[in-house]
Amino acid sequence: MSSAKSLLIRQARVILPNGEFIIGDVLTQGGKIVEVASEISYATPTQEIDAQGLTLLPGVIDPQVHFREPGLEYKEDLFTASCACARGGVTSFLEMPNTRPLTTSQSALDDKLQRAANKCLVNYGFFIGATGDNLTELVSAQPTPGIKIFMGSMHGQLLVDQETVLEQIFAHGSRLIAVHAEDQARINQRRQEFAGIHDPAIHSQIQDNQAALNATQLALKLSKKYQRRLHILHMSTAEEAELLREDKPSWVTAEVTPQHLLLNTSAYQTIGTLAQMNPPLRSPHDNEVLWQALRDGVIDFIATDHAPHTLEEKGQTYPNTPSGMPGVETSLPLMLTSAMAGKCTVSQVVNWMSKAVATAYGIPNKGEITPGYDADLVLVDLNTYKPVKREEVLSKCGWNSFEGWNLTGWPVTTIVGGEIVYDQGKVNTEIRGQALTFL
């Protein structure tokens, strides 16, 4: 073996690209997977992990997060968020443009990339945001996974809710467009109808299923008109899932969050504004239809929409409370717990949280445990259940909406580029991830 740093993971339960498992060894060198075999006896690695009893999965790629830097670092920053990623088995993320300043230009994108190079323990990519008057930047900015359009639930420059302006964006260029699909006009009207109500549960009625469906229908119409690559972020309603089941062109993808699968409007009674997000939580019926759409491939993958706020902000009275919840630390355990409960398989979880994301965004050499691929890996314990505890949260916000839930599949060791970034509850803050590339 050459002098490049190497890591040997011994006797893990390894998931193969075909979804089957073997008990075996995985050797990495120079940040790449070199060999996967039932036993690797010739190697003298720099580091070795005894993984007996643990399951080895590809690292999670979280394709929708809000990490708040620059401008809102009191909620979260790239360092604290990437520590939370490491704890959650998230080895790569795609971050959204609603920071201060907004990520709507090449210079703002470059600034984020430089910050991430200095601070991020895991791999990173950043969306460019559409404003309606930055068309040239939307076509030319590099590197980015795509264009983010807020069709609703936004104010200021990033709100792009006029069909004529949206059509201009869809008509120019070929880059992926990811939409937050809510109908702002309907939301505005319903805010007036329900004004004066301070129960946060009203949030799900103000930003109702119809508001989501209207916007998704419009985005789909424009995508079909121009055959433009479209991704629908955090799909939340049964109606949207059924729309895509009937009419989903090959160039359209969609995602769902663990919270839209596992939480519903009953959560307002127990956790109040910690359940408030955009688009809002829906009914148990929506949960079940989304689950079925995910299992059937109508919905393609999982994202967290990690969007932390301080407990002080969340403690205000609705509607003065911000929408959003953290998610990167619990997404993998939540989905693996669902798999162990029979809602899906571990192999499906791996596809939804790793491989399908890499495929959709054209991220090369990620999402599988196979020679030649990047050594972004996570060892999880599927034999032990532990509760979500507030005192263990690494996100700067210091809370989690799933507090008290008893979960399995917690990461024991997270590996980024062949380096151990998280192990047995401890983060190695010296590790730095790499900027993602997009084919």
Side-chain angles (χ1 to χ4, degrees):
M1 294 181 67
S2 71
S3 59
K5 194 168 184 182
S6 57
L7 174 67
L8 181 58
I9 302 163
R10 286 203 181 277
Q11 293 305 291
R13 180 171 172 253
V14 183
I15 191 163
L16 301 175
N18 64 4
E20 296 177 1
F21 289 90
I22 63 162
I23 303 296
D25 298 354
V26 175
L27 179 65
T28 81
Q29 188 171 8
K32 299 283 187 182
I33 297 166
V34 175
E35 188 177 355
V36 181
S38 56
E39 186 179 5
I40 299 172
S41 56
Y42 65 86
T44 51
T46 315
Q47 274 185 294
E48 192 169 312
I49 298 172
D50 179 359
Q52 279 194 325
L54 301 177
T55 300
L56 186 67
L57 308 176
V60 172
I61 306 171
D62 191 335
Q64 195 200 168
V65 299
H66 302 264
F67 283 171
R68 307 304 190 198
E69 182 176 349
L72 298 163
E73 288 92 340
Y74 72 94
K75 301 176 194 271
E76 188 82 281
D77 60 57
L78 289 167
F79 174 75
T80 58
S82 62
C83 287
C85 282
R87 179 179 179 237
V90 176
T91 54
S92 300
F93 65 80
L94 304 180
E95 206 259 356
M96 291 297 165
N98 54 327
T99 43
R100 297 180 185 171
L102 306 174
T103 318
T104 55
S105 66
Q106 184 67 55
S107 60
L109 181 60
D110 290 343
D111 176 65
K112 272 193 176 175
L113 288 163
Q114 185 58 55
R115 290 168 180 268
N118 292 332
K119 292 187 171 188
C120 276
L121 282 60
V122 302
N123 307 310
Y124 47 86
F126 299 99
F127 277 85
I128 186 149
T131 65
D133 60 2
N134 67 336
L135 202 53
T136 302
E137 300 271 14
L138 296 184
V139 172
S140 64
Q142 293 283 2
T144 182
I147 298 163
K148 169 68 179 283
I149 301 180
F150 287 91
M151 300 174 73
S153 293
M154 182 51 63
H155 50 80
Q157 282 184 293
L158 281 182
L159 176 62
V160 183
D161 59 345
Q162 299 301 310
E163 183 170 349
T164 53
V165 181
L166 289 164
E167 182 148 9
Q168 281 286 96
I169 299 169
F170 274 85
H172 289 84
S174 58
R175 175 169 284 163
L176 178 147
I177 294 172
V179 294
H180 179 126
E182 289 189 278
D183 179 347
Q184 189 62 41
R186 182 175 177 85
I187 292 170
N188 291 343
Q189 171 200 332
R190 291 176 71 79
R191 275 185 185 150
Q192 293 181 336
E193 288 177 28
F194 295 101
I197 298 175
H198 300 296
D199 180 354
I202 203 69
H203 188 65
S204 291
Q205 292 187 51
I206 293 171
Q207 296 178 213
D208 65 350
N209 288 39
Q210 191 64 48
L213 180 62
N214 289 354
T216 294
Q217 286 173 324
L218 174 55
L220 190 60
K221 181 180 87 170
L222 292 172
S223 172
K224 288 165 68 178
K225 181 173 181 179
Y226 295 100
Q227 297 203 6
R228 184 67 183 266
R229 177 75 175 86
L230 172 67
H231 178 65
I232 300 161
L233 299 160
H234 44 41
M235 185 170 281
S236 64
T237 71
E239 290 87 344
E240 290 170 286
E242 293 306 328
L243 171 68
L244 282 200
R245 188 180 290 279
E246 297 300 319
D247 182 13
K248 188 189 179 195
S250 60
W251 59 86
V252 173
T253 51
E255 70 187 30
V256 66
T257 69
Q259 53 269 32
H260 284 118
L261 294 171
L262 298 169
L263 297 176
N264 52 58
T265 49
S266 66
Y268 292 115
Q269 297 167 14
T270 52
I271 60 173
T273 57
L274 299 189
Q276 181 188 331
M277 65 173 297
N278 298 328
L281 299 178
R282 308 296 186 187
S283 72
H285 171 69
D286 291 292
N287 292 151
E288 288 310 310
V289 174
L290 291 168
W291 263 114
Q292 194 60 53
L294 182 63
R295 287 189 292 258
D296 291 346
V298 175
I299 296 173
D300 299 271
F301 49 81
I302 299 287
T304 65
D305 192 20
H306 176 99
H309 301 282
T310 66
L311 281 167
E312 183 181 11
E313 289 171 322
K314 282 289 194 176
Q316 297 178 78
T317 302
Y318 185 87
N320 299 317
T321 43
S323 294
M325 58 180 73
V328 294
E329 289 175 77
T330 46
S331 58
L332 183 58
L334 284 166
M335 294 305 298
L336 290 173
T337 301
S338 297
M340 301 310 282
K343 296 287 281 186
C344 56
T345 66
V346 174
S347 178
Q348 285 175 312
V349 172
V350 168
N351 182 54
W352 297 332
M353 302 190 77
S354 301
K355 181 60 179 176
V357 182
T359 300
Y361 283 104
I363 305 170
N365 301 319
K366 293 194 188 293
E368 289 184 6
I369 302 176
T370 196
Y373 271 54
D374 295 338
D376 297 335
L377 304 162
V378 57
L379 276 166
V380 300
D381 182 353
L382 287 171
N383 302 310
T384 306
Y385 283 76
K386 294 192 303 184
V388 179
K389 295 181 179 179
R390 183 170 291 193
E391 59 268 25
E392 294 177 358
V393 169
L394 295 187
S395 172
K396 192 183 281 190
C397 70
W399 59 274
N400 188 284
S401 297
F402 292 93
E403 187 175 342
W405 285 47
N406 203 35
L407 304 180
T408 192
W410 286 99
V412 174
T413 306
T414 303
I415 296 157
V416 175
E419 301 267 13
I420 298 172
V421 70
Y422 174 84
D423 187 53
Q424 307 282 348
K426 294 182 179 176
V427 178
N428 181 354
T429 59
E430 302 301 309
I431 304 300
R432 290 295 175 267
Q434 302 289 321
L436 295 170
T437 55
F438 310 97
L439 300 178

